[in-house]
């Protein structure tokens, strides 16, 4: 049976070769433009798991396509991840990304913002090249799917940023699920799986099931990410631990805690969480962590993640795969990995 | 003979109707998402000239296509202008856009940055709809051209921002032309004309001439923009006058002045121009303006703009138009407008 991590590594290597070797320009005689190219190649050159390209390629194979049918689209999904992280890091004020300073920390906000736009445009240019292998009609269909995926992501991102800007804490589990489905599930699971399936010419029925599967598993994935942000090993995880507390994120962990905490605790919690990142003291972060511990908020959230993962698995079980059975099995393995991973 | 301003107004109205009526979502039951949609519709709802969509539609007609063949692409060019201005305003720290506060001034940087990304993605989604009228092959060809245009723009933008960040003033006229060709000419003239021509099925020979025409006229257009930023009537112009001085822009006016000024003047000029926007006093801005006046730097730059416009006109005169002769004549009228306009 294929090994999940080896498979992910293999797809990631192929995608990186495509991105760094063919899709992104390497150098330019004008020194400023050359710097832009180096900035565009910065996040793509850092360590990353490559889950999204893996899901795209593997779903394509499970439906009956080849790895090559999906590879360019998979690379574009990875490019999407790169540019949106550059912009995300600016929006959230994050300082660390994949174990190194965020791009705007290295080069300032104006140049980093523009480099994100430059990567974004390259992504669409690359997608338009799908026509030579898949035909223009399917290439256009993939771009429409891609556009929908990006729309959902920007809407989810806006929901989260809007809650923070408006200091909203009157939020319940369904609000988190709505935000998280848009912000994470589409571009992490549902989009990559659907895109791979479309590259292989899948039927609408299969695509609908992949949506249901992906939206649930995506939320489970995000909950595990939130948990790692609290409890994870920073070295494996690559982002600064407790960043979500500093950034005032409305994670399921925090929303659960708000419901469980006593009135005095909740008031103190809200006043800390509403402060600007730089105004939060280490003592305040410790206080938030102690409340999370006392009310076992991470335990609760992880339980919900496992439930969602199991629901996603049972949906996956109903798909009539028309291609590689081993690839289909890998998707099941990935589901479990999404909520058990430590990185 | 068709009236240029009436034609521009007509295309702009059609494009706005498409953007606000069909391409951008109007409302959403989730209040945060609804706010995002309102932000996405903000710049598109402000007054603008609509030169770029006009060039796209008019070139399409001059080559033998219809207005409808180019209208969706023209709307996407306008969407491009909207999202890149949102990001530009953040990068430059501009406070005013089209007579109103910039989007990030109204909503903060994180939400505005994300709204720009959301508009960017919608633009590509809209471009992918070209297939239903023009066929998938031509739709893909248009997207490839579009991607090239955005690439050039982000590279030019990086050059300008990079010069400011690295406090570079060892720049000559060819540096300005290189930056300006990338930053402005592609997306203001060359891209829109070529895209309209491609929508009409133009030959490569015609496209090559439109590139030459557009790259020259685009620089002339930018020089006039720089001049209006110094001398213009703020009410007509829509941006804050002298913003370029505050932002430390390397306009042809400034580069010429650096060459003409005495050593003492130049040193003082550089020390003022290198200051942060908020550190520049009104007296310092007045000093820069007095030097511009003394050395007639605006006069020099406008002379170069007129020369470039004339060169662009003579290239335009060699194009073998295969469509509407009145549309072809309008392109010539537009060239003169680009360097004579007061807005």
């Amino acid at each position: 049976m294929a090994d999940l991590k080896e498979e992910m590594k293999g797809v990631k290597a192929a995608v990186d070769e495509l991105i760094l070797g063919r899709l992104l320009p390497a150098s330019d005689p004008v020194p400023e433009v050359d710097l832009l190219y180096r900035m565009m190649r910065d996040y793509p050159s850092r360590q990353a798991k490559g889950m999204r390209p893996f899901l795209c390629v593997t779903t394509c194979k499970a439906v009956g396509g080849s790895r090559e049918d999906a590879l360019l689209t998979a690379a574009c999904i990875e490019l999407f991840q790169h540019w949106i992280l550059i912009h995300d890091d600016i929006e959230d004020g994050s300082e660390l990304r994949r174990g190194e300073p965020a791009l705007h920390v290295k080069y300032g906000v104006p140049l980093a913002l523009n480099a994100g736009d430059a990567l974004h445009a390259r992504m669409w240019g690359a997608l338009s090249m799908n026509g030579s292998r898949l035909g223009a009609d399917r290439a256009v269909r993939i771009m429409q799917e891609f556009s929908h995926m990006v729309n959902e992501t920007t809407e989810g991102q806006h929901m989260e940023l809007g809650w923070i800007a408006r200091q909203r804490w009157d939020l319940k589990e369904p609000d988190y699920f709505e935000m998280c489905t848009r912000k994470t599930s589409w571009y992490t699971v549902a989009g990559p799986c659907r895109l791979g399936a479309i590259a292989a010419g899948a039927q609408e029925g299969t695509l609908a099931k992949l949506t249901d599967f992906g939206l649930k598993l995506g939320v489970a994935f995000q909950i595990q990410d939130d948990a790692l942000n609290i409890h994870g090993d920073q070295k494996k995880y690559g982002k600064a631990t407790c960043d979500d507390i500093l950034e005032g994120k409305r994670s399921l962990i925090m929303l659960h805690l708000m419901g469980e905490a006593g009135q005095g605790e909740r008031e103190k919690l809200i006043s800390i969480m509403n402060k600007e990142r730089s105004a939060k003291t280490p003592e305040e972060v410790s206080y938030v962590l102690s409340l999370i511990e006392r009310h076992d908020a991470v335990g609760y959230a992880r339980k919900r993640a496992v439930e969602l993962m199991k629901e996603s698995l049972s949906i996956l079980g109903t798909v009539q795969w028309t291609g590689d059975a081993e690839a289909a099995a890998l998707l099941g393995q990935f589901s479990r990995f999404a909520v058990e991973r430590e990185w």
Side-chain angles (χ1 to χ4, degrees), chain A:
Chain A
M1 182 158 171
D3 178 74
L4 177 69
K5 284 182 191 166
E6 285 308 309
E7 287 286 327
M8 275 170 58
K9 226 191 258 179
V11 173
K12 175 74 172 130
V15 156
D16 284 349
E17 199 186 309
L18 196 54
I19 290 175
L20 294 168
R22 251 187 67 205
L23 301 180
L24 296 185
S27 65
D28 193 276
V30 177
E32 270 76 17
V33 179
D34 196 63
L35 173 62
L36 170 62
Y37 292 169
R38 273 184 284 132
M39 289 177 69
M40 287 163 69
R41 299 168 75 87
D42 188 316
Y43 280 19
S45 302
R46 301 186 186 189
Q47 283 276 335
K49 293 183 278 296
M51 299 169 310
R52 295 169 184 85
F54 161 82
L55 285 175
C56 177
V57 165
T58 307
T59 311
C60 180
K61 285 157 72 177
V63 169
S66 72
R67 176 169 133 146
E68 283 61 40
D69 291 335
L71 208 57
L72 182 59
T73 306
C76 291
I77 294 172
E78 197 69 354
L79 281 174
F80 174 33
Q81 166 80 344
H82 296 314
W83 74 253
I84 206 156
L85 286 180
I86 294 174
H87 285 182
D88 249 37
D89 287 344
I90 296 173
E91 291 160 10
D92 294 341
S94 301
E95 290 169 6
L96 208 60
R97 172 62 62 189
R98 296 173 182 161
E100 289 179 52
L103 202 67
H104 68 280
V105 173
K106 288 171 80 171
Y107 300 98
V109 168
L111 290 180
L113 199 174
N114 183 63
D117 287 338
L119 266 183
H120 186 170
R122 293 275 171 178
M123 177 189 90
W124 289 102
L127 279 170
S128 76
M129 291 158 50
N130 255 327
S132 60
R133 183 178 183 95
L134 306 177
D137 281 314
R138 194 168 289 176
V140 168
R141 174 76 185 83
I142 285 174
M143 284 193 263
Q144 286 168 341
E145 182 71 24
F146 219 100
S147 168
H148 178 243
M149 177 175 75
V150 184
N151 293 346
E152 292 281 347
T153 311
T154 54
E155 291 174 7
Q157 176 73 354
H158 179 98
M159 284 181 75
E160 182 164 63
L161 293 169
W163 289 343
I164 295 172
R166 293 161 68 187
Q167 306 203 326
R168 281 196 60 184
W169 285 106
D170 56 332
L171 302 163
K172 303 283 169 225
E173 211 158 302
D175 299 306
Y176 175 81
F177 279 53
E178 174 82 32
M179 178 277 286
C180 199
T181 299
R182 299 202 196 203
K183 185 191 77 161
T184 306
S185 296
W186 270 102
Y187 98 101
T188 304
V189 191
C193 291
R194 285 175 56 93
L195 284 162
I198 293 168
Q203 303 294 311
E204 283 302 326
T206 302
L207 294 178
K209 285 185 177 174
L210 289 172
T211 307
D212 292 346
F213 160 72
L215 295 187
K216 278 188 195 294
L217 187 64
V219 176
F221 171 89
Q222 181 63 55
I223 293 174
Q224 176 65 7
D225 217 62
D226 299 342
L228 288 171
N229 199 287
I230 301 289
H231 274 171
D233 175 340
Q234 184 164 318
K235 248 185 145 164
K236 284 187 196 166
Y237 179 54
K239 285 208 294 186
T241 323
C242 297
D243 244 15
D244 288 352
I245 295 176
L246 291 172
E247 292 164 13
K249 291 279 173 74
R250 274 64 173 159
S251 63
L252 184 61
I253 296 166
M254 289 308 301
L255 295 186
H256 180 72
L257 184 54
M258 289 287 172
E260 294 293 305
Q263 199 185 329
E265 289 174 336
R266 184 164 49 242
E267 281 168 13
K268 187 164 173 193
L269 201 55
I270 289 178
S271 88
I272 294 172
M273 291 299 285
N274 281 348
K275 287 187 181 181
E276 292 285 315
R277 166 188 271 271
S278 57
K280 286 179 181 125
T281 66
E283 292 70 33
E284 289 172 331
V285 174
S286 294
Y287 176 76
V288 176
L289 286 173
S290 73
L291 280 191
I292 290 173
E293 196 75 38
R294 187 177 319 153
H295 294 285
D296 191 26
V298 172
Y300 171 80
R302 295 211 56 235
K303 195 162 59 72
R304 292 293 289 122
V306 171
E307 286 165 12
L308 283 162
M309 180 271 286
K310 285 183 181 163
E311 290 172 36
S312 78
L313 268 184
S314 61
I315 298 164
L316 199 68
T318 68
V319 178
Q320 301 284 327
W321 299 110
T322 44
D324 181 351
E326 204 166 70
L330 274 168
L331 293 175
Q333 273 192 60
F334 175 84
S335 306
R336 280 176 290 269
F337 165 77
V339 299
E340 287 163 6
R341 69 203 168 88
E342 292 178 17
W343 47 290

Coordinates of all heavy atoms in Angstrom, one line a residue, chain A residues 44 74 83 190 196 254 300 304:
Chain A
P44 N 7.7 30.0 -2.3 CA 7.8 28.7 -3.0 C 9.1 27.9 -2.7 O 9.1 26.7 -2.9 CB 7.7 29.1 -4.5 CG 7.0 30.4 -4.5 CD 7.4 31.1 -3.3
A74 N -2.3 21.5 -10.1 CA -1.8 21.3 -8.8 C -0.8 22.3 -8.4 O -0.8 22.9 -7.3 CB -1.3 19.9 -8.6
W83 N 0.7 33.0 -2.8 CA 0.4 34.5 -2.8 C -0.6 34.8 -1.7 O -0.5 35.9 -1.2 CB -0.1 34.9 -4.2 CG -1.5 34.6 -4.7 CD1 -1.7 33.6 -5.7 CD2 -2.7 35.1 -4.3 NE1 -3.1 33.6 -5.9 CE2 -3.7 34.5 -5.1 CE3 -3.1 36.1 -3.4 CZ2 -5.1 34.8 -4.9 CZ3 -4.5 36.4 -3.3 CH2 -5.4 35.7 -4.0
A190 N -11.9 20.9 -0.7 CA -12.9 20.7 -1.7 C -12.4 21.2 -3.1 O -12.6 20.5 -4.1 CB -14.2 21.5 -1.3
G196 N -8.9 18.4 -9.4 CA -8.3 17.2 -9.9 C -9.3 16.3 -10.7 O -9.0 15.7 -11.7
M254 N -11.5 29.1 20.9 CA -11.8 30.3 21.6 C -13.3 30.5 21.8 O -13.8 30.9 22.9 CB -11.3 31.5 20.9 CG -9.8 31.7 20.9 SD -9.0 31.7 22.6 CE -9.9 33.0 23.4
Y300 N -12.0 19.6 23.5 CA -13.4 19.7 22.8 C -13.3 19.9 21.3 O -13.9 19.2 20.6 CB -14.2 20.9 23.4 CG -15.4 21.1 22.7 CD1 -16.6 20.3 22.9 CD2 -15.5 22.1 21.7 CE1 -17.7 20.5 22.2 CE2 -16.7 22.3 21.0 CZ -17.8 21.5 21.2 OH -18.9 21.7 20.5
R304 N -14.5 17.5 18.0 CA -15.3 17.9 16.9 C -14.6 17.6 15.6 O -15.2 17.2 14.6 CB -15.7 19.4 17.0 CG -16.6 19.8 18.1 CD -18.0 19.2 18.0 NE -18.8 19.9 16.9 CZ -19.3 19.2 15.9 NH1 -19.1 17.9 15.7 NH2 -20.0 19.9 15.0

